[in-house]
Amino acid sequence: MPADQTEAAAEGHTATASRPDAGSRRGRRDAAALALKDVPHEPGAPKPDPILVADGIKRQFGGLTAVDVDHVELQRGAITALIGPNGAGKTTFFNLLTGFDQPNSGIWSFNGRSLSGVAAHRVARLGMVRTFQLTKALSKLTVIENMRLGATGQRGENVFRALFRSVWGAQEREITTRADDLLERFKLDAKRQDFAGSLSGGQRKLLEMARALMVGPEMVMLDEPMAGVNPALTQSLLGHVKDLREDGMTVLFVEHDMDMVRDISDWVIVMAQGKVIAEGPPDSVMGDQRVIDAYLGSHHDAVLTEEEEQEVLAKAEEALERERAENEETAQ
Amino acid sequence: MDWQRIIINALEASVGLQAVVFALAAIGLNVHFGYTGLLNFGQSGFLAVAAYGLAVTVATFDLPFWLGIVFGLLGAVVLALLLGIPTLRLRADYLAIVTIAAAEIIRLTVRSVTFEGTFGGSDGRQGFAGGFYDLNPYPKRQYNIGEFGFNERQMWILTVGWVLVALSCLIVFLLMRSPWGRVLKAIREDEDAVRSLGKNVYSYKMQSLIIGGVLGSLGGFVYALGQASIQPDIFGTDTTFFAYTILILGGAARVASPVVGAIVFWMLLSLTDNVLNEAIDAGYISSSVINNTQVGQFRFMLVGLLLMLLMIFRPQGIFGDRREIALDAR
């Protein structure tokens, strides 16, 4: 996104959101970088001001351990990326933290409040709101209705009060004003009356993010915000994610696009086979040997010599021979 | 062929008892299926509980009429809770299986020999509608416009029935334009998204099941009072599927569609029935092709065909929005 456009976008919504140091984006980014400066680059490293702390989170599906995280902390006001190869357990970990799935064991807390056994909708009300990898736009609701749905504490959501518009009408107008401001910020105002199902993939991602903001979250969890988004929208989405931090929110996101991770995240947590294997600022993490091994396999660059190959082959044949002998024995 | 008779019969059917009963049943289903996406295949169970709640209270236990209505309504609420508590946390198909089974359990229980003393077995219950007709303000005579008309008992039950239909539509309209209705429609689209926005999906689904069940149960009262007798087999699965047909005919998730659907459905059944019978009597159709006793079954085939054509050429129903259907194809 060009700098002037960024400025315009930033100014456009200063009035709508509580934003302590409106101005350049650097403020919060530098603050986050400063806060994380002395944090060791180790899995489970303690943070100076953690908003989310998780301990011993374990989730098994039958014999498969999908998530086995010893300890992890997320810094308040920072953008943290959660990366890892396919099947590393990132989305499962997301589901566990947000109450969409329950772990076999483990405790975790948000703002010092334990979230064990707390239902997903209560987690959202506490200020931790997520989006989904496969976008969940509510197709047959219009864009503005999608937005209004996000607002919490609506009087008209009680079945008895719902019957009387006089009870909820004023609040509905407030919500609509707030929703329109957000739609403008996300450049969806032209689509206001369209069915959400008629939007493009990228627009749905934008809508989902804007709708999550209607909840008024303290922490936003984005599951692959860039998946299926065309490159033209990517820059705009990146800008919006950075804006979340500027508005004082904490962001945790899962992503495969390393350029994006490097561009916007203050801290990166790497998962592989259900465990956190590395942590650190983006540049140091991507050079970490454990991370390279996890993504590419530990022998990816070692060339076997002729002798080593022969040795491996001999061992395999020996094992086969032994097996055959054993089988014959049992047959007799 | 007596076209005047055919048309009058069709008109009487379109505002008659069956149309009222099925309009109410379909209004309830509209809340469940149309707005919330709950697959309730046991709507006949809600009608049965209301009808039997009333009939058993008055005819078996000799209690006042109003108490019967109260017990019938309570029965519908309890049934909704029983169905909802175990299934609403699970995937949508579980509710479908449980509701259809529960409706059959209710029907088979009330028709069983064991409880004949209470529910009257397969003969059902009679003699419970007196309290209702005591309130009849219409003097005893025939109320006609030309040949079209009803007697004072029919006038009374139809008046009450259509007032109930109008009130139910008003309630559905008020609820569905509110934020409460918005949550329901959102649940129909994707429950997890709604959950992620801080709404207690389970509670909303339960409220929807109760409200739709109670609205449907009004149909059970109207049927029981209109016939002044009930039998268990009128609350079979075909009652539920007629109600679905009516709802889809009108177009799901529209306030007026169950009403118009019911009117059109019963008018069509009456028309096909009468036209075929008259045509056979007049010799236009040879009785070797189809005879009068077969018409009763054959008309359902014709209506089925008509509905298939409707689904092909107008899948959104009478009131639906074609754009919404197009979204499903994406």
Side-chain angles (χ1 to χ4, degrees):
Chain A
M1 196 187 276
D4 53 345
Q5 209 178 327
T6 315
E7 291 298 327
E11 272 171 27
H13 58 81
T14 41
T16 67
S18 59
R19 147 182 265 194
D21 55 341
S24 96
R25 258 185 198 130
R26 300 219 50 87
R28 292 276 182 169
R29 168 153 225 178
D30 291 346
L34 191 69
L36 291 164
K37 188 166 59 79
D38 296 326
V39 175
H41 300 176
E42 278 305 314
K47 309 292 184 305
D49 182 15
I51 189 169
L52 188 101
V53 182
D55 269 297
I57 307 279
K58 202 167 190 173
R59 178 68 170 107
Q60 289 165 316
F61 297 108
L64 178 81
T65 304
V67 168
D68 185 7
V69 171
D70 279 340
H71 183 80
V72 77
E73 294 184 7
L74 294 181
Q75 170 68 12
R76 187 187 309 276
I79 299 180
T80 305
L82 184 61
I83 65 169
N86 289 325
K90 305 181 296 290
T91 297
T92 311
F93 190 49
F94 243 61
N95 289 343
L96 293 171
L97 292 179
T98 49
F100 278 81
D101 190 8
Q102 294 300 324
N104 298 81
S105 63
I107 49 165
W108 68 111
S109 63
F110 175 71
N111 271 334
R113 191 190 186 289
S114 169
L115 289 185
S116 307
V118 175
H121 70 273
R122 292 199 188 281
V123 173
R125 281 187 208 165
L126 287 170
M128 189 158 98
V129 176
R130 71 169 297 181
T131 66
F132 295 87
Q133 188 175 351
L134 297 168
T135 326
K136 294 185 185 298
L138 305 161
S139 303
K140 288 182 198 167
L141 266 58
T142 59
V143 167
I144 187 74
E145 283 285 79
N146 262 273
M147 293 295 288
R148 287 186 187 126
L149 180 74
T152 49
Q154 297 190 43
R155 283 192 282 274
E157 286 183 355
N158 173 291
V159 65
F160 298 108
R161 284 185 290 222
L163 290 169
F164 309 101
R165 184 180 256 172
S166 52
V167 178
W168 49 263
Q171 190 188 25
E172 182 87 345
R173 279 190 292 279
E174 268 167 48
I175 290 168
T176 307
T177 312
R178 199 150 63 84
D180 278 329
D181 287 342
L182 274 169
L183 283 181
E184 204 176 317
R185 168 170 158 194
F186 282 80
K187 298 198 171 55
L188 287 170
D189 41 341
K191 299 278 179 185
R192 191 177 189 271
Q193 296 297 345
D194 291 9
F195 284 126
S198 71
L199 299 181
S200 73
Q203 288 169 331
R204 287 185 204 202
K205 288 276 181 199
L206 285 172
L207 174 61
E208 202 182 20
M209 204 188 284
R211 191 177 64 195
L213 295 187
M214 284 297 288
V215 184
E218 234 180 295
M219 179 167 170
V220 182
M221 321 248 298
L222 307 168
D223 198 351
E224 298 205 20
M226 295 298 155
V229 176
N230 77 50
L233 263 180
T234 311
Q235 279 309 312
S236 145
L237 256 169
L238 279 178
H240 288 304
V241 177
K242 290 181 191 166
D243 281 350
L244 300 182
R245 177 180 55 198
E246 291 314 301
D247 291 342
M249 282 174 248
T250 308
V251 180
L252 175 68
F253 73 101
V254 170
E255 190 49 63
H256 283 297
D257 181 340
M258 289 305 159
D259 286 335
M260 172 184 172
V261 170
R262 191 170 292 136
D263 185 6
I264 67 169
S265 52
D266 302 310
W267 193 258
V268 180
I269 296 173
V270 189
M271 280 183 80
Q273 292 171 333
K275 293 183 194 314
V276 173
I277 57 159
E279 269 191 52
D283 291 328
S284 88
V285 148
M286 283 174 198
D288 192 307
Q289 192 56 41
R290 289 167 297 195
V291 177
I292 295 165
D293 288 352
Y295 268 92
L296 302 171
S298 50
H299 295 293
H300 64 95
D301 54 357
V303 181
L304 295 180
T305 63
E306 183 105 353
E307 280 151 42
E308 281 170 330
E309 274 179 23
Q310 290 296 338
E311 202 177 313
V312 171
L313 198 64
K315 268 185 189 161
E317 278 176 352
E318 205 176 298
L320 272 175
E321 197 67 39
R322 213 180 308 125
E323 202 175 308
R324 193 159 36 202
E326 275 169 18
N327 282 345
E328 275 169 17
E329 247 170 62
T330 48
Q332 283 163 5
Chain B
M1 283 174 75
D2 185 355
W3 282 103
Q4 198 193 344
R5 190 68 249 159
I6 290 172
I7 288 167
I8 285 169
N9 280 344
L11 286 177
E12 284 180 358
S14 68
V15 296
L17 186 68
Q18 297 282 9
V20 177
V21 171
F22 280 87
L24 287 166
I27 289 170
L29 266 190
N30 200 18
V31 174
H32 292 156
F33 173 72
Y35 290 106
T36 326
L38 297 175
L39 274 174
N40 168 20
F41 281 129
Q43 188 70 340
S44 63
F46 285 100
L47 274 73
V49 164
Y52 270 91
L54 169 66
V56 168
T57 307
V58 179
T60 311
F61 296 107
D62 221 8
L63 293 164
F65 164 72
W66 287 111
L67 210 55
I69 299 286
V70 171
F71 283 148
L73 288 173
L74 281 180
V77 174
V78 170
L79 178 62
L81 288 171
L82 283 179
L83 293 174
I85 288 168
T87 56
L88 288 182
R89 285 186 204 278
L90 306 173
R91 246 182 19 228
D93 16 356
Y94 289 94
L95 181 72
I97 296 164
V98 168
T99 47
I100 199 167
E104 281 297 277
I105 289 169
I106 291 169
R107 184 177 70 85
L108 293 171
T109 307
V110 295
R111 90 194 295 284
S112 68
V113 181
T114 319
F115 300 115
E116 204 167 355
T118 314
F119 299 115
S122 58
D123 293 335
R125 281 279 161 223
Q126 293 80 33
F128 52 82
F132 175 72
Y133 288 102
D134 288 345
L135 301 168
N136 191 352
Y138 291 99
K140 186 175 168 61
R141 67 179 176 90
Q142 191 70 20
Y143 294 81
N144 274 17
I145 307 166
E147 298 220 349
F148 170 84
F150 302 99
N151 66 27
E152 80 288 347
R153 282 171 70 92
Q154 290 168 319
M155 284 299 285
W156 177 222
I157 186 67
L158 290 180
T159 307
V160 171
W162 284 109
V163 167
L164 285 176
V165 169
L167 283 177
S168 303
C169 284
L170 179 68
I171 288 171
V172 171
F173 167 75
L174 289 176
L175 284 177
M176 294 310 161
R177 70 167 186 181
S178 75
W180 186 84
R182 177 163 64 219
V183 178
L184 253 53
K185 287 178 245 175
I187 289 172
R188 176 190 68 200
E189 299 301 310
D190 194 314
E191 334 187 340
D192 277 345
V194 180
R195 214 169 266 136
S196 78
L197 297 172
K199 322 284 178 199
N200 186 350
V201 170
Y202 179 70
S203 161
Y204 282 99
K205 286 187 354 184
M206 187 61 94
Q207 292 170 34
S208 163
L209 195 61
I210 292 172
I211 291 171
V214 167
L215 291 177
S217 78
L218 299 178
F221 291 127
V222 172
Y223 187 89
L225 294 170
Q227 299 283 351
S229 102
I230 48 168
Q231 294 78 38
D233 291 335
I234 51 185
F235 303 110
T237 46
D238 37 358
T239 301
T240 302
F241 291 119
F242 281 3
Y244 263 103
T245 308
I246 283 164
L247 178 59
I248 292 164
L249 178 66
R254 292 287 181 279
V255 172
S257 67
V259 183
V260 175
I263 291 171
V264 172
F265 182 80
W266 289 102
M267 192 192 269
L268 279 178
L269 274 184
S270 164
L271 270 181
T272 46
D273 191 35
N274 282 298
V275 168
L276 283 170
N277 274 322
E278 294 268 346
I280 291 165
D281 292 342
Y284 294 126
I285 299 174
S286 158
S287 54
S288 62
V289 179
I290 182 171
N291 62 36
N292 293 100
T293 53
Q294 290 165 335
V295 165
Q297 302 304 314
F298 184 68
R299 62 184 182 148
F300 284 116
M301 294 183 206
L302 276 185
V303 171
L305 183 70
L306 207 78
L307 285 170
M308 273 196 251
L309 292 174
L310 185 88
M311 285 296 99
I312 293 164
F313 295 107
R314 200 177 165 81
Q316 70 271 39
I318 297 169
F319 285 112
D321 185 338
R322 183 132 216 166
R323 292 188 304 158
E324 289 189 9
I325 302 289
L327 290 176
D328 290 335
R330 281 169 72 102

